[in-house]
Amino acid sequence: MKFKDILVTKELDEATPVEKPELGSGADHYIFPSKRNPNNVYKLGSEHAVDFWYDLFKNHPSIFPVVYKRGKTRMKLDRDKVVFQDNTFVKLKAGSIVPVAYVEMEKLDPKRAENEWKMLNHAITDITEDQWDFQDYVLHFAIFESSNMKPDFDLMLHVFDELKINYPDEYRIITRFLDLIIEIKKVNKHPDLHMYNFGYDMKGNLKCLDI
């Protein structure tokens, strides 16, 4: 979808018909750059979808992108989409004009986080002889933090010790991720933890992009 597909409304002054690239999207949201401030983005989704995460982001700016403004606009769908509407899920056709909420928020750099995740993948697959990559480590670590399920704590500790001794750069990276995951788990017991859900702010702080 292109930015020109967002219809102009009074509440969203930047939603002009000027074509702009979509920075990303998910099951229930779209991300567009701010024309006024290159350090900000707009996240658009249904009112129901935005309600799900807005207060969490607003109340925890050290974990999630800083939010600056919330409002309402409308969007023309470029493809068929299932949305939550009137307490049920309905399928809307491409070309439908739908009301959406928008949030202006801090832009994060996901590429750095993705590259660091890949570095950890390589190190951990070496250490575990292809038993685990970093996604496996994160899943076991998340279980360890909040569940009665039993992770492979011995392998977790072995990986951590090996990184500390033989992979100093990766060791510093993994501590940043794990420290953040601990904070995320305090406010959301079942977060969506994967390579594409993290990014760095302009001050070099690692944050979570979505829940």
Side-chain angles (χ1 to χ4, degrees):
M1 186 179 69
K2 299 298 183 182
F3 196 75
K4 65 183 178 182
D5 292 324
I6 300 176
L7 304 182
V8 179
T9 63
K10 182 178 178 181
E11 293 88 348
L12 183 50
D13 294 333
E14 283 205 87
T16 64
V18 177
E19 185 170 320
K20 298 168 72 174
E22 180 182 316
L23 295 180
S25 65
D28 54 11
H29 69 266
Y30 298 92
I31 305 293
F32 292 96
S34 167
K35 186 174 62 175
R36 182 174 59 241
N37 186 338
N39 298 321
N40 292 352
V41 296
Y42 285 104
K43 185 172 183 177
L44 282 72
S46 70
E47 198 79 29
H48 171 78
V50 173
D51 284 343
F52 181 69
W53 56 262
Y54 180 77
D55 286 341
L56 199 61
F57 277 40
K58 185 177 180 180
N59 294 330
H60 301 282
S62 63
I63 300 175
F64 304 103
V66 177
V67 298
Y68 300 113
K69 182 181 178 182
R70 178 174 178 171
K72 297 181 180 180
T73 186
R74 294 179 295 160
M75 183 171 65
K76 185 170 69 175
L77 300 179
D78 71 333
R79 58 184 178 270
D80 292 352
K81 191 173 183 67
V82 176
V83 300
F84 190 80
Q85 193 176 77
D86 298 326
N87 294 319
T88 188
F89 287 95
V90 296
K91 184 176 182 179
L92 300 176
K93 295 290 187 179
S96 299
I97 296 172
V98 296
V100 292
Y102 73 85
V103 178
E104 184 177 6
M105 62 174 57
E106 170 186 40
K107 181 181 180 180
L108 301 183
D109 174 15
K111 292 300 182 183
R112 176 182 169 188
E114 290 172 23
N115 290 335
E116 290 183 343
W117 190 289
K118 291 175 183 177
M119 288 175 63
L120 289 169
N121 275 343
H122 292 311
I124 292 172
T125 54
D126 284 346
I127 293 169
T128 64
E129 298 180 344
D130 294 323
Q131 293 183 63
W132 277 10
D133 58 13
F134 185 45
Q135 182 68 67
D136 295 305
Y137 194 99
V138 166
L139 292 175
H140 280 254
F141 183 77
I143 291 172
F144 173 69
E145 282 296 307
S146 67
S147 172
N148 292 326
M149 296 176 64
K150 294 183 179 180
D152 190 336
F153 185 73
D154 289 338
L155 190 53
M156 288 171 58
L157 186 60
H158 171 64
V159 168
F160 196 75
D161 288 343
E162 284 293 314
L163 290 174
K164 186 174 183 179
I165 296 170
N166 297 313
Y167 300 83
D169 291 338
E170 287 82 352
Y171 173 74
R172 285 188 289 271
I173 293 169
I174 198 173
T175 55
R176 281 198 296 273
F177 274 99
L178 298 186
D179 286 346
L180 177 59
I181 290 170
I182 290 171
E183 295 305 308
I184 295 169
K185 296 284 285 185
K186 290 178 182 178
V187 299
N188 181 11
K189 295 298 184 184
H190 304 286
D192 189 14
L193 302 173
H194 58 79
M195 179 169 66
Y196 303 107
N197 209 15
F198 296 89
Y200 282 89
D201 67 14
M202 293 187 65
K203 296 179 180 179
N205 299 308
L206 182 65
K207 295 184 177 183
C208 185
L209 289 166
D210 200 7
I211 57 172

